[in-house]
Each structure stands twice: as C-alpha cells, then as structure tokens.
Amino acid sequence: MSLGLWDELEAALTGRACWVERREHDWLLDLGDGMFVAVSVPWRIVSEGRIAFARDDDGQSFGRSVPVDGEDEARRLLGAKLITRAVVDRQTGDLSLHFGPETRLDVFNSSIGYEGWNTRYVIGGRRWFAIALGGGEMAFMREEA
C-alpha cells in the first residue's frame, strides 16, 4: 500500500536529528544528508510541559546579563535527540516535530497568503520539496534528476 504525500513527508522526517541555525530572514532546521526545514513563521520548542524557547525569544534579555542566543538554546533543548514523530496538520499546514514524549518543536503556518515553511526530504532515494502555502495548503514537488 502506497502512502500519501503527507504521510511520506512525515515518515521521511522521522528518525532524523535536528540542528537549528539562525539565518538572515529565517531559521534552518538541518536534518542532515541534504534534508532541511526552512522556517520563516513563528516556532517554539515545548519541553517538559512548558514553552522552553520560542523564535521571538532570540536576542531578548528577560532581565538576564546576556541576551538569549536562540541557536544555543534550541541546540541545548534538542541536543542529540532524534525526531520520533512528525505531524503536519492537514488543515493549517502547521508542523510538529516530536523528540520523544517530553519535547517537541512546533511551527505555526500563520498567514492566508504567505508561505510559512518549506522542506527538502528524501523518499525512495529521490529528493522532494514541500511548501506550506498560505491558508494551510501544501504543495509537493519531486526534484527532477
């Protein structure tokens, strides 16, 4: 039985490590082997039942002597954990990456018009791209050889 495109995307992301990198206009979730998720919308890491870090916390002081470094904080929270489950919401295009029962990274597709996130992933040795479109729709494309 063949999986649908949504299910294949979720399966392809599962079992991967996630290295978080801040870029000029977005954040990159590097999954290794040329796979990634590029995020330009709000995202957060929930750990042990609480919001442990959110995109907008990067560079904020919150009364500390040193501002929060988003890359360091995300890497500390995710460490060497692997994605145990990936879920794309079929209505909104939101993405949740679960790292065991206590930690997850949530990406919020937050516009009716703008793209929220995109990913390159591998299925059966072929590279695919998925884009979370405005309004919650998804576009899937196979990379031409």
Side-chain angles (χ1 to χ4, degrees):
M1 179 172 129
S2 176
L3 295 174
L5 292 173
W6 296 77
D7 298 315
E8 288 178 337
L9 167 58
E10 292 168 341
L13 300 179
T14 300
R16 313 292 305 184
C18 180
W19 183 257
V20 178
E21 178 183 333
R22 178 183 47 245
R23 302 192 300 187
E24 185 174 358
H25 298 290
D26 65 2
W27 290 76
L28 183 73
L29 311 178
D30 186 341
L31 306 177
D33 300 325
M35 293 176 52
F36 65 82
V37 179
V39 180
S40 58
V41 294
W43 61 274
R44 69 179 179 209
I45 297 173
V46 176
S47 183
E48 299 180 11
R50 303 260 185 245
I51 297 171
F53 175 76
R55 175 196 73 171
D56 292 341
D57 295 338
D58 182 53
Q60 300 299 318
S61 293
F62 300 120
R64 302 173 185 187
S65 60
V66 177
V68 175
D69 183 313
E71 288 180 336
D72 286 347
E73 194 63 17
R75 292 172 185 167
R76 181 186 70 76
L77 290 163
L78 300 179
K81 297 175 184 173
L82 299 179
I83 298 168
T84 56
R85 184 169 60 119
V87 179
V88 180
D89 188 291
R90 283 13 180 209
Q91 292 180 320
T92 63
D94 293 351
L95 172 66
S96 289
L97 302 175
H98 296 256
F99 299 82
E102 295 294 321
T103 305
R104 75 175 190 266
L105 189 153
D106 297 322
V107 177
F108 302 98
N109 199 21
S110 59
S111 173
I112 62 169
Y114 293 112
E115 298 170 357
W117 56 273
N118 66 81
T119 183
R120 180 195 302 154
Y121 57 103
V122 177
I123 298 172
R126 299 286 311 261
R127 290 192 189 275
W128 284 77
F129 295 95
I131 302 169
L133 302 172
E137 295 193 44
M138 294 289 297
F140 295 91
M141 297 158 282
R142 190 173 70 190
E143 183 178 275
E144 297 300 320

